[in-house]
Amino acid sequence: MSQQLSNSFLIELANEFGTPLYVYHAEKIKEQYQKLLTAFAGSNTRFFYACKALTNINVLKYIKEIGCNIDCSSINEVKLAVHAGFAPENILYTSNNIAFSEIETAQQLGVNINIDSISNLRKFGQKFGHTYPVGIRLRPNIMAGGNLKISTGHQDSKFGIPLEQIDKVLEVVKETNLRITDLHIHTGSEIKDVEVFAKGIEVLFEVAKHFPELEVIDLGGGFKVAYKPNDEVTDIDKLGRKVKEEFDLFEKQYGRRVEVWFEPGKFLVSEAGCFITKVNVLKETANTVFAGTDSGLNHFIRPMFYGAYHIIENISNPNGAKRNYNVVGNICETDTFAENRSLNEIREDDLLVFQNAGAYGFEMSSNYNSRFKPAEVLVRDGKAQLIRKRDVFEDLLKNQTF
Ligand SMILES: *Cc1c(COP(=O)(O)O)cnc(C)c1O
């Protein structure tokens, strides 16, 4: 982790903007993007930031500024991307059980579209025939990813059109004269093994034979980042070499060149973000010491939802003696951030920082227990900008009628 904000700077931000607080570091996002560009320099590759990881409009604008494209999971994300200034050709909408009306809206906006069901593919073909290029999201029946909750390509997964139904796809294509230019898979999140991507490539190359108008093979996202020291990560340099090798071979065999697309979410923004909380209450019990923070699973759900491990640092007492704590939230649920974690001695009002909070952190937050959603700050060129105000009481009542 070469780019890091100093503890004293984070303390300043917590004092200025209050806690709980999400802080994002722009240059770290750029550094991650550069790593991808370097690793895949040998092939015809484009990257689409899977923006569901973090959609603050300021972050989207920054992503655009560094030259990255964008992948969306809902029509509202597509609209946010347009709002952030992305050109339609740099926006991809990968669908997942969406209403056909959203696909029509995406078509009107002129963005790239991946369709994930035979029924929507048929509707698309009936309406647009050969006039608008479209991609197919396939389910390759590959088990991949950190755990079942974030695994999306296996044979019980709802995502994509199952590979074994490719004959039906071909029927629809023929019947409606569809122009299929993209084959897509996204097998899961936190894929550390290059072989998983290699398997995906193999599957798609086989399917590619049926699609003479193919221009793109889209391998989705899921690059793993380190959550703990010495954590295994996706070897993107190795993957870059593998992709080059495979796609060069593809070109020889098929006599034409296709682009490779990836949709990294976590890889771009996870390490760029941290989440700062304050310890309200220390509670010594027979079995453990609880450090009760001013946040909870309403603001940062990954530990409870996925069993995710996030490094926690006590930036108020970095040299304090180590002691074990259960770091918990203030929500009326069991909301444990970390169990039996060795941390520098915690005192009430100390600031705890959670690492790797850029992806699926704020984005999955809610107002549960009628708590305010946290504020967000973007640090760029050493300067902090408030990019989302903390909720105020009126926000809780905003859409309710009386
Ligand atoms: C969520 C998602 C991604 C990004 O996954 P990460 O694990 O964050 O890289 C990419 N593509 C699609 C279609 C997704 O739904």
Side-chain angles (χ1 to χ4, degrees), residues 50 52 71 73 94 137 184 186 188-190 220-223 263-266 360:
K52 72 174 187 287
D71 175 52
S73 304
T94 298
R137 177 172 195 173
H184 162 102
H186 170 65
S189 197
E190 303 191 358
F223 300 152
E263 303 158 357
K266 204 171 269 183
Y360 311 106

Side-chain angles (χ1 to χ4, degrees), residues 1 225-227 270-271 273-274 300 302 310-311 354-359:
M1 280 174 243
V225 296
Y227 280 85
S270 175
E271 291 158 292
C274 69
F300 188 54
R302 288 184 40 76
H310 286 263
I311 290 175
F354 294 73
Q355 301 292 353
N356 278 74

Side-chain angles (χ1 to χ4, degrees), residues 48-53 71-73 94-96 114 137 150 152 159 184-186 188-191 218 220-224 262-268 359-360:
F48 291 72
Y49 165 55
C51 73
K52 72 174 187 287
D71 175 52
C72 304
S73 304
T94 298
S95 48
N96 151 36
N114 287 327
R137 177 172 195 173
I150 55 176
T152 53
F159 295 94
H184 162 102
I185 54 170
H186 170 65
S189 197
E190 303 191 358
I191 304 166
D218 179 345
F223 300 152
K224 190 179 178 312
F262 282 105
E263 303 158 357
K266 204 171 269 183
F267 186 84
L268 288 173
Y360 311 106

Side-chain angles (χ1 to χ4, degrees), residues 139-147 150-154 184-205 217-224 232-235 238-239 242-243 246-247 262:
R139 193 189 74 187
N141 304 334
I142 298 171
M143 183 52 96
N147 63 57
I150 55 176
S151 184
T152 53
H154 59 85
H184 162 102
I185 54 170
H186 170 65
T187 52
S189 197
E190 303 191 358
I191 304 166
K192 27 180 205 262
D193 202 347
V194 168
E195 284 314 306
V196 169
F197 289 99
K199 182 91 186 94
I201 292 172
E202 190 187 310
V203 167
L204 290 182
F205 281 1
I217 284 190
D218 179 345
L219 297 170
F223 300 152
K224 190 179 178 312
E232 210 184 327
V233 301
T234 314
D235 185 342
K238 186 171 162 198
L239 181 58
K242 182 78 187 162
V243 161
E246 293 290 337
F247 280 77
F262 282 105

